[in-house]
Amino acid sequence: MLSKKTKYGLKALTYLASVGTKEPVQIAEIAKHENISQKFLESILLTLRRNGFLGSKKGKGGGYYLIKQPEDIQMTSVMRVLEGPIAMVPCVSLNFYEKCDDCPDENKCSVHKLMLQVRDSALEVYRNNTLADLIS
Amino acid sequence: MLSKKTKYGLKALTYLASVGTKEPVQIAEIAKHENISQKFLESILLTLRRNGFLGSKKGKGGGYYLIKQPEDIQMTSVMRVLEGPIAMVPCVSLNFYEKCDDCPDENKCSVHKLMLQVRDSALEVYRNNTLADLIS
DNA sequence: TCTTTATCCTATTAAAACCATAGACTTTGT
DNA sequence: ACAAAGTCTATGGTTTTAATAGGATAAAGA
């Protein structure tokens, strides 16, 4: 299941991209428009900022804004930051690889074989979608 | 993340397919061979039996065995039974559809749009793989 | 019939992850 | 100075996951 964190994060990014302004947008506005708990959204926007997707401005007239062009924001990087590994199993993860405790030989493992295909297919989707593609 | 339940279930199915016998295989043997907690595996095999993948025999010489040919067991059905919905979000699920509380219009939702593609790509992988394909 | 072997079933628990809220702080603009 | 907004930490509640405990049931064989 997709976490609420990722879901809300994606919606917030989309909203910021759709307003298309350089002006900061306040958390409250995003939360209201997308029906998201404001406090929770707060922490999500914070991690998006820390990971280089958003900029922020404090104080009156402050808020969050996109740092890059929507066309330059790939879903692969957004998903990795918000949701974590794209692979369903650490032993097929490109960025978060871990060996399985059980499983003496990955190459003979049926789960490995299947999940490798699933990862590749998901990766293809995420690579083919930028933030700009999500705005219809 | 793939749950251990699914992982173990897949491994157990693969093992049963690979021994390729009609003779029942005992839980203990599967558990030992695949490094799985026996008690946990017990409950997994039980749900696999209840969902028509396995047959069982009680008492001495008992155990579990595949009911169908490995070629006839699609990963779509295995995944749905063990892991649940294939979609990452209920609003794009074929078999477990649910409307989102937030989100007034699915067709305009960026998350919906993206996750629809992810679902389709995963589905294609699962449809193209039977249990037989996982045995190398 | 009795014993052994193995599945069947329910309940419970321990740990982890997830979602959300509270509240104090810091910064900024006026 | 003051109000508006992001920053940060901590905490609590709920749900899910993984595993365990303990017995009930059924089959096979002596």
Side-chain angles (χ1 to χ4, degrees):
Chain A
M1 279 284 281
L2 196 74
S3 67
K4 300 260 183 184
K5 182 178 169 187
T6 304
K7 185 181 176 187
Y8 295 165
L10 281 172
K11 286 195 167 194
L13 285 172
T14 308
Y15 182 69
L16 286 174
S18 71
V19 301
T21 169
K22 287 280 176 184
E23 293 302 298
V25 180
Q26 294 158 24
I27 297 178
E29 180 182 333
I30 307 175
K32 194 174 178 187
H33 191 271
E34 299 294 336
N35 292 308
I36 303 173
S37 145
Q38 176 165 344
K39 271 295 191 180
F40 191 28
L41 180 59
E42 238 179 78
S43 67
I44 296 168
L45 295 177
L46 207 49
T47 79
L48 284 173
R49 196 214 50 164
R50 286 181 177 141
N51 283 279
F53 295 101
L54 300 179
S56 66
K57 206 182 159 202
K58 285 187 179 182
K60 199 168 189 175
Y64 282 96
Y65 51 91
L66 284 179
I67 275 186
K68 294 188 281 189
Q69 290 299 105
E71 296 79 25
D72 297 330
I73 300 179
Q74 267 201 342
M75 283 305 111
T76 38
S77 54
V78 176
M79 289 299 291
R80 285 200 177 106
V81 162
L82 291 175
E83 189 73 6
I86 287 168
M88 293 184 77
V89 117
C91 70
V92 301
S93 177
L94 294 173
N95 292 254
F96 303 83
Y97 176 84
E98 266 179 72
K99 195 183 174 309
C100 293
D101 304 341
D102 50 320
C103 212
D105 185 358
E106 281 182 4
N107 301 324
K108 289 180 185 163
C109 176
S110 57
V111 178
H112 185 85
K113 199 179 298 182
L114 182 64
M115 289 304 135
L116 207 56
Q117 298 177 53
V118 175
R119 182 208 65 187
D120 283 339
S121 74
L123 221 39
E124 200 187 322
V125 171
Y126 293 136
R127 282 187 178 137
N128 284 332
N129 278 278
T130 69
L131 189 53
D133 297 312
L134 298 188
I135 311 167
S136 65
Chain B
M1 279 284 279
L2 197 73
S3 66
K4 300 261 182 183
K5 182 179 169 187
T6 304
K7 185 182 177 187
Y8 294 165
L10 281 172
K11 285 197 167 194
L13 285 172
T14 308
Y15 182 70
L16 286 174
S18 72
V19 302
T21 168
K22 288 283 177 183
E23 294 302 299
V25 180
Q26 294 158 26
I27 296 177
E29 180 183 334
I30 307 175
K32 195 175 177 187
H33 191 271
E34 300 293 337
N35 293 307
I36 304 173
S37 146
Q38 177 164 344
K39 271 296 192 180
F40 190 27
L41 181 58
E42 231 179 270
S43 66
I44 296 168
L45 295 178
L46 206 50
T47 79
L48 284 174
R49 195 211 50 164
R50 286 181 177 141
N51 283 279
F53 294 100
L54 300 178
S56 67
K57 203 181 159 199
K58 284 185 176 183
K60 197 167 190 175
Y64 283 96
Y65 52 90
L66 284 179
I67 274 186
K68 295 188 281 189
Q69 291 299 104
E71 296 80 25
D72 298 329
I73 301 179
Q74 267 201 343
M75 282 305 111
T76 38
S77 54
V78 177
M79 289 298 291
R80 286 201 177 106
V81 162
L82 291 175
E83 190 74 5
I86 287 167
M88 293 183 78
V89 118
C91 71
V92 301
S93 176
L94 294 173
N95 292 252
F96 302 83
Y97 176 84
E98 264 179 74
K99 194 184 175 311
C100 294
D101 304 341
D102 50 321
C103 213
D105 186 357
E106 281 181 4
N107 300 324
K108 289 180 186 162
C109 177
S110 57
V111 178
H112 185 86
K113 200 180 297 183
L114 182 63
M115 289 304 135
L116 208 56
Q117 297 177 54
V118 174
R119 182 208 66 188
D120 283 340
S121 74
L123 221 40
E124 197 186 323
V125 171
Y126 292 137
R127 283 190 177 135
N128 284 332
N129 278 277
T130 69
L131 190 53
D133 296 315
L134 299 188
I135 311 166
S136 65

